[in-house]
Every structure is written in structure tokens, then in C-alpha cells.
Amino acid sequence: MLSDDEAAELYDVLNTWGDFPADHFYDALVERAPNVLDVGCGTGGMLHHARDRGHRGRLVGLDPDRAALTRARRRTDVEWWEGTAAALSAEAEFDLVTMTGHAFQCLTADEDLRCSLSAIRRALRPGGRFAFETRHPRAKAWEDWTPAHPVTVSRPRPLRLWHEVESVVGDVVSFTEAVADPEGTVLRVDRAALRFLGPDELDEFLTVAGFVVEERFGDWERGPLTEQSREIVTIASAVRQPQDRAAQAAPAPKP
Ligand SMILES: C[S@@+](CC[C@H](N)C(=O)[O-])C[C@H]1O[C@@H](n2cnc3c(N)ncnc32)[C@H](O)[C@@H]1O
């Protein structure tokens, strides 16, 4: 067996923050934002790194995965909230919300996606920014997720890991992630599903939730989105909604 704690450590080994071009893209945004919420923060790598680099503002990480948050909590100068994006109840507290490492693609159902985006918009100050990426469906990244492309690591112990697609239904790809020891004994199999929204559908969801797309890129070097792009990288800004104005204009309740 591979424990949840080991799985969280394995995630960190494979995704050490700072090793990827995407990390530099987000670091630059976080550095300039006084109050940052990282939705789907996982083991907290981005916020740990931000503090290491001297960020002095408010940093909050949110994730429903307890084992990942336990690793994140090794650093106590960041707030860690357990929960999902849809259940987020913050009101106009943040200048920047991020969803990194394709966490956005975990929102596979329309209703969950709508509720998550609305909650993220409410958590932002008007004009605050939501930065995230999603893999472009046209590039069909899942076609490489086969046992023929395994990864080996030496921490938390010598392991081999691979993915296998189970189904592609509409824009949702369901797959397994298997972890085995060097002798080939399978220690753990996890199931997951990711949604691959194209830019037009994505923008419809963003508009309904009260966002305006401010910047759109096809890679981490801020190149344009093209026919060949493998990523859809978005920075959207939160538009003040009529219900926000109504709430602000409402008389204060009597004591
Ligand atoms: C691939 S990991 C990315 C972790 C981290 N952001 C990174 O860049 O390494 C996706 C994360 O999204 C979280 N997640 C899944 N569903 C979520 C939801 N509904 N709301 C918030 N986070 C969610 C998972 O628990 C997981 O930690």
C-alpha cells in the first residue's frame, strides 16, 4: 500500500514548485498582489515559495484534500482552509485568486463549475484577478497518458507511476493513476476525471459568473493562443455585480 501521506509526498517530488515555466508565470502575479487565495493549493508549494521569496501580505491556500493540506501546513505563516471552491464563503477579501497545476480541470460538472466560479468572483475585490490554466482540448494531452509513458522516482521510496485513460465522454476524460514498486507490484490505483473546456465554452462560464477576460495566452511565456497551443492560460477580472451594489447600499441592521 501507498498511504495518502506518501501520495502527497510523491506529488511534491513530481511537482516541486519552481521547476516549471508555469511556476514563474504565477510567481510574478503573486509577488504583486497583497492578498492571495490559491484554490486547489494541494501541498501548498506556490504559497510556501511566495513566503520564502519575501511576500509579506495575506496568503491563503484552499483544498479539499486533507493529506495534501497536512503537508501544506508544515508552514504556519500561511492560512490553510480545508474545502472546495464552491463552498468558499469569502467576500471581497482578495486581490488575486489562482488555480495552478490544472486544478481548474477538476471542476468537471457544470453546476460545480458555476458555483465555484461565482464563489471565486465573490472572494475577489471588484477588479481583482483570477489566474488559471486549462489544457486545450485540441491538443488531446490525454493521448500520452498511457502505461508506455511511466515516471520513476526514488522518494518517498523507489516507485513507478503511470496513467491510463478509462473513458472520454464529451469533454471529460476519466483515467487511473497507478503506483507500483520496482518489482512491479501495484501499491495504489487512484481514479480521477478532468474536464477539457475549449476557449469559447470557458468564456461563457466566466461571463455568467461575472468575470471579464483581461489576458489570454497559449503558453507560459505569454505567447498568443493559437491553433497549436496546448494550454489556455487566462487572467480574468472580477466585475462588480448588481447584488454586490445592493448589499453595499442596504442600510446597516439595527443593533
Ligand atoms: C493537480 S492538483 C494541483 C495542486 C497545486 N495547485 C499545484 O499547482 O501543484 C489539483 C488540486 O485541486 C484540488 N481540488 C479538486 N477539486 C477541487 C475543488 N472542487 N475545489 C478546490 N480544489 C479542488 C485537489 O485536491 C488537488 O489538490
Side-chain angles (χ1 to χ4, degrees):
M1 275 295 291
L2 190 79
S3 70
D4 285 356
D5 289 347
E6 284 180 306
E9 186 179 348
L10 175 61
Y11 183 86
D12 262 354
V13 169
L14 293 171
N15 301 282
T16 305
W17 190 267
D19 284 358
F20 300 93
D23 305 349
H24 307 304
F25 174 87
Y26 287 108
D27 285 344
L29 295 173
V30 170
E31 207 170 278
R32 295 199 301 271
N35 301 285
V36 181
L37 170 65
D38 186 23
V39 172
C41 65
T43 51
M46 181 184 78
L47 298 179
H48 288 194
H49 191 67
R51 275 284 183 255
D52 286 343
R53 285 161 45 108
H55 193 289
R56 300 164 83 99
R58 185 176 183 207
L59 299 176
V60 181
L62 169 80
D63 203 285
D65 183 323
R66 191 165 287 179
L69 272 190
T70 299
R71 267 188 91 69
R73 285 192 168 112
R74 288 179 302 171
R75 183 137 202 167
T76 55
D77 52 4
V78 172
E79 288 173 58
W80 304 108
W81 295 350
E82 187 177 328
T84 61
L88 178 62
S89 60
E91 296 278 346
E93 291 180 32
F94 298 97
D95 307 290
L96 175 71
V97 173
T98 53
M99 278 188 100
T100 71
H102 303 102
F104 180 82
Q105 292 188 251
C106 296
L107 308 173
T108 54
D110 281 1
E111 188 55 18
D112 187 35
L113 181 53
R114 279 193 208 102
C115 292
S116 300
L117 286 174
S118 296
I120 288 169
R121 190 202 56 77
R122 284 195 304 274
L124 282 164
R125 304 210 161 103
R129 304 203 295 169
F130 175 38
F132 65 100
E133 81 281 308
T134 183
R135 297 177 185 90
H136 202 307
R138 210 187 291 122
K140 298 188 174 177
W142 62 86
E143 289 184 347
D144 291 336
W145 299 349
T146 74
H149 295 93
V151 176
T152 54
V153 295
S154 56
R155 280 195 301 129
R157 44 181 151 137
L159 294 168
R160 211 158 71 89
L161 170 143
W162 66 91
H163 296 103
E164 197 157 10
V165 172
E166 291 188 312
S167 68
V168 181
V169 179
D171 54 16
V172 176
V173 177
S174 300
F175 60 100
T176 56
E177 181 178 277
V179 183
D181 65 18
E183 289 73 45
T185 305
V186 174
L187 305 173
R188 180 178 176 119
V189 179
D190 287 307
R191 289 204 147 66
L194 295 177
R195 187 166 187 178
F196 288 73
L197 275 175
D200 293 343
E201 303 96 300
L202 175 60
D203 289 351
E204 274 175 41
F205 279 105
L206 287 169
T207 304
V208 169
F211 284 105
V212 168
V213 174
E214 208 179 279
E215 294 184 272
R216 163 77 33 87
F217 309 109
D219 60 44
W220 303 111
E221 282 73 36
R222 295 180 164 250
L225 185 70
T226 70
E227 297 277 303
Q228 282 72 45
S229 299
R230 296 187 66 80
E231 300 283 345
I232 305 167
V233 183
T234 303
I235 301 178
S237 53
V239 178
R240 188 185 281 272
Q241 297 294 287
Q243 60 268 32
D244 298 341
R245 277 190 279 275
Q248 230 174 37
K254 291 201 174 114

